[in-house]
Amino acid sequence: AQIVPWNYPLLMAAWKLAPALAAGNAVVFKPSELTPVTAVKLFELIEQAGFPAGVANLVLGDGPRVGHALAAHPDVDKIAFTGGTVTGRKIMQAASGNLKKISLELGGKNPNIVFADADFEAAVEYAMFGAFANSGQVCAAGSRLLVEESICERFIERLVQRTKAIVVGSGLSDRTEMGPLISEAHLNKVLGYVESGKAEGATLLCGGNRLTGGEYAGGYFMEPTIFTDARSDMRIVKEEIFGPVLVVQTFRDEAE
Ligand code: NAD
């Protein structure tokens, strides 16, 4: 059984299904309840392609009911899960009944490190890509940025200038560089982290707000956001935000 998140729905389906089927397994696949449509299309194609009945199976539904039923089911030998860490723990527990094999690909809080001798413009571009690609909804997002002190002032200034110019909008528009977040609940969670960063004393350099009105009405858009003056004990430094929020810290030298 395979359970996946919403942030790259078709890619997640492809990279879970292909190796399992190639290794001769029968598979039950559950996409996220927020993004089922590409999986439905893919399974229509799988059927048209003539897969034997029962080899590749699709079930739809939410985590606590359908996902849990798969994780706990005595006839499932293995669970391959990608998603949040909290869910990973629940799946591990539910899978213990028949001692399933499990693989868990969970959340991340990944640092990009920029030394003073880096290619300056390339480092700025990739720092932005790491933080804001897919609106930061990426398990491997570069959501923390560590910049060597000797270049940090100039680096952060350029980063903020470039970030403020990011065009936020609908994914259907050619002009758009960054789209919305997946849902209102998730947007509110990300905005909650912005409040937490401010309350814990980090400095908000740009962004931090929901975008409303005009083309943003009815969508879950927010400004690309950068914090600095962050300490390692702050929640915005320690916890996965999974939104367009970059937290910058500095270091003196390689040893530090
Ligand atoms: P999530 O954990 O809430 O949900 C993922 C899947 O698990 C969904 O299909 C959901 O329905 C299901 N689920 C939820 N509760 C369940 C339960 N109790 N039992 C069984 N299944 C349950 O995650 P999400 O919000 O969809 O995705 C975001 C998370 O995914 C982030 O933490 C991100 O880092 C992680 N992620 C990791 C990778 C990776 O390769 N490591 C890739 C993409 C996303």
Side-chain angles (χ1 to χ4, degrees), residues 152-191:
C152 76
E153 205 171 311
R154 194 164 68 94
F155 194 90
I156 292 171
E157 190 185 302
R158 181 85 179 122
L159 187 68
V160 168
Q161 180 197 33
R162 291 278 297 109
T163 297
K164 282 181 173 168
I166 291 174
V167 179
V168 180
S170 162
L172 299 176
S173 158
D174 289 342
R175 285 182 57 245
T176 294
E177 294 172 320
M178 194 181 95
L181 298 178
I182 181 74
S183 66
E184 184 151 41
H186 188 59
L187 171 67
N188 288 334
K189 183 178 161 196
V190 175
L191 292 172

Side-chain angles (χ1 to χ4, degrees), residues 65-222:
R65 276 171 299 178
V66 179
H68 176 80
L70 289 172
H73 201 287
D75 290 339
V76 173
D77 295 323
K78 161 152 184 156
I79 291 277
F81 171 73
T82 300
T85 304
V86 173
T87 312
R89 282 203 187 91
K90 290 182 188 160
I91 286 180
M92 205 170 188
Q93 281 170 359
S96 67
N98 64 333
L99 304 174
K100 287 181 185 61
K101 296 190 180 87
I102 44 178
S103 48
L104 306 172
E105 299 191 37
L106 307 176
K109 187 71 181 173
N110 319 288
N112 271 327
I113 306 179
V114 179
F115 286 94
D117 62 355
D119 175 333
F120 189 86
E121 287 300 330
V124 170
E125 290 308 307
Y126 277 96
M128 289 173 56
F129 179 77
F132 303 127
N134 210 31
S135 309
Q137 302 168 124
V138 181
C139 56
S143 51
R144 291 192 290 148
L145 181 63
L146 305 176
V147 185
E148 192 161 359
E149 232 165 58
S150 59
I151 60 160
C152 76
E153 205 171 311
R154 194 164 68 94
F155 194 90
I156 292 171
E157 190 185 302
R158 181 85 179 122
L159 187 68
V160 168
Q161 180 197 33
R162 291 278 297 109
T163 297
K164 282 181 173 168
I166 291 174
V167 179
V168 180
S170 162
L172 299 176
S173 158
D174 289 342
R175 285 182 57 245
T176 294
E177 294 172 320
M178 194 181 95
L181 298 178
I182 181 74
S183 66
E184 184 151 41
H186 188 59
L187 171 67
N188 288 334
K189 183 178 161 196
V190 175
L191 292 172
Y193 274 108
V194 172
E195 289 313 309
S196 142
K198 288 196 261 184
E200 288 187 304
T203 304
L204 181 64
L205 290 179
C206 66
N209 300 303
R210 181 174 185 169
L211 292 161
T212 52
E215 64 172 310
Y216 302 125
Y220 311 124
F221 296 93
M222 83 174 266

